[in-house]
């Protein structure tokens, strides 16, 4: 029993990290309340969770707000672009759904919409983790997010499943799980992203040298 409760025990370390995701989720939620700050808040969240999977998080609160402040301008700009695109896609989906026609034009429009929606979802999942680790132009962030997401399709699919399962559990099974919400999703996704981002860092260093 004593060995199980030892803070250095791998099980206890993992439990501690899960508890920390709840705390991070609270920080993320509070910092996202103005809505326009969701980008900077999500970037800060991934900045910490990516460190957590490597046991390098240190002071969680300090690390979170360090990234929040450092990436506030670009994170906010990226989020506002994504928000605008999301609204456009939402309107397009609504129109396509209510104007169902059995002809080639409607089929082509629907196919284009689905492709755009998938590309949007990929960028949404990857762009803030990338921003938390790399300095680059906004256009490059969008391009790299899409390219990496398409290259590592298994990782992309697993990340989508993580978010879907969390939403399903909160809505249909256990609403109090919302206390973990985005924090736990980011933590689990960070396990998937860690090696991918490391590869990107190595290639970036090779390109510079």
């Amino acid at each position: 029993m004593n060995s199980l409760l030892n803070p250095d025990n791998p099980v206890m370390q993992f439990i501690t990290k899960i508890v920390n995701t709840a705390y991070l989720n609270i920080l993320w939620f509070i910092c996202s309340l103005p809505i326009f700050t969701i980008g900077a808040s999500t970037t800060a969240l991934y900045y910490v969770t990516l460190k957590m999977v490597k046991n390098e998080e240190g002071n969680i609160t300090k690390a979170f707000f360090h990234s929040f402040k450092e990436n506030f301008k670009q994170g906010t700009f990226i989020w506002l672009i994504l928000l605008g695109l999301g609204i456009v896609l939402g309107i397009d989906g609504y129109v396509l759904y209510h104007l169902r026609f059995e002809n080639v034009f409607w089929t082509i429009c629907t196919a284009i919409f689905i492709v755009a929606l998938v590309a949007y979802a990929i960028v949404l999942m990857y762009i803030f983790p990338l921003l938390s680790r790399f300095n680059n132009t906004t256009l490059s962030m969008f391009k790299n997010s899409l390219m990496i997401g398409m290259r590592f399709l298994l990782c992309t699919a697993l990340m989508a499943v993580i978010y879907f399962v969390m939403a399903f559990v909160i809505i249909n099974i256990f609403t109090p799980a919302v206390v973990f919400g985005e924090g736990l999703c980011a933590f689990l996704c960070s396990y998937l992203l860690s090696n991918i981002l490391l590869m990107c860092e190595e290639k970036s260093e090779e390109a510079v040298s």
Side-chain angles (χ1 to χ4, degrees):
M1 179 63 73
N2 289 334
S3 61
L4 182 63
L5 297 177
N6 189 325
D8 295 326
N9 184 288
V11 176
M12 284 301 298
Q13 288 181 351
F14 185 76
I15 292 174
T16 300
K17 289 182 184 296
I18 295 298
V19 173
N20 286 339
T21 63
Y23 173 62
L24 279 170
N25 188 58
I26 294 171
L27 287 180
W28 174 83
F29 178 76
I30 293 173
C31 292
S32 297
L33 283 177
I35 305 301
F36 71 89
T37 57
I38 288 177
S41 184
T42 305
T43 302
L45 175 64
Y46 271 100
Y47 176 81
V48 178
T49 56
L50 284 166
K51 285 182 172 294
M52 285 173 64
V53 300
K54 297 190 297 181
N55 298 314
E56 299 175 353
E57 62 268 29
N59 187 310
I60 290 177
T61 306
K62 185 177 180 180
F64 182 93
F65 284 106
H66 165 76
S67 177
F68 184 86
K69 181 180 178 181
E70 188 175 73
N71 297 293
F72 181 82
K73 186 176 181 180
Q74 190 173 17
T76 300
F77 182 55
I78 288 173
W79 165 245
L80 292 177
I81 293 174
L82 287 170
L83 182 61
L85 291 173
I87 291 172
V88 171
L89 285 172
I91 294 172
D92 288 345
Y94 179 85
V95 172
L96 284 171
Y97 179 78
H98 287 87
L99 296 178
R100 294 187 295 276
F101 297 111
E102 294 183 1
N103 57 37
V104 176
F105 179 74
W106 184 87
T107 303
I108 293 174
C109 288
T110 302
I112 293 173
F113 170 76
I114 292 172
V115 170
L117 189 63
V118 170
Y120 178 82
I122 290 174
V123 171
L124 193 63
M125 286 190 289
Y126 279 88
I127 197 164
F128 296 116
L130 280 177
L131 180 59
S132 73
R133 290 282 288 270
F134 300 98
N135 291 318
N136 215 329
T137 64
T138 298
L139 181 60
S140 294
M141 284 293 180
F142 274 89
K143 183 178 70 174
N144 292 338
S145 298
L146 185 59
M147 290 176 61
I148 293 171
M150 292 177 65
R151 180 180 176 185
F152 298 97
L153 284 176
L154 178 58
C155 177
T156 302
L158 289 174
M159 288 171 65
V161 168
I162 288 171
Y163 279 101
F164 175 80
V165 170
M166 177 59 73
F168 181 83
V169 169
I170 292 173
I171 295 171
N172 297 294
I173 300 176
F174 189 62
T175 304
V178 71
V179 71
F180 295 103
E182 182 69 16
L184 182 56
C185 287
F187 178 59
L188 295 176
C189 288
S190 291
Y191 271 106
L192 300 172
L193 290 168
S194 184
N195 288 334
I196 293 174
L197 295 182
L198 182 60
M199 288 171 54
C200 293
E201 285 182 354
E202 291 173 351
K203 287 187 177 181
S204 178
E205 291 173 359
E206 289 175 3
V208 172
S209 60

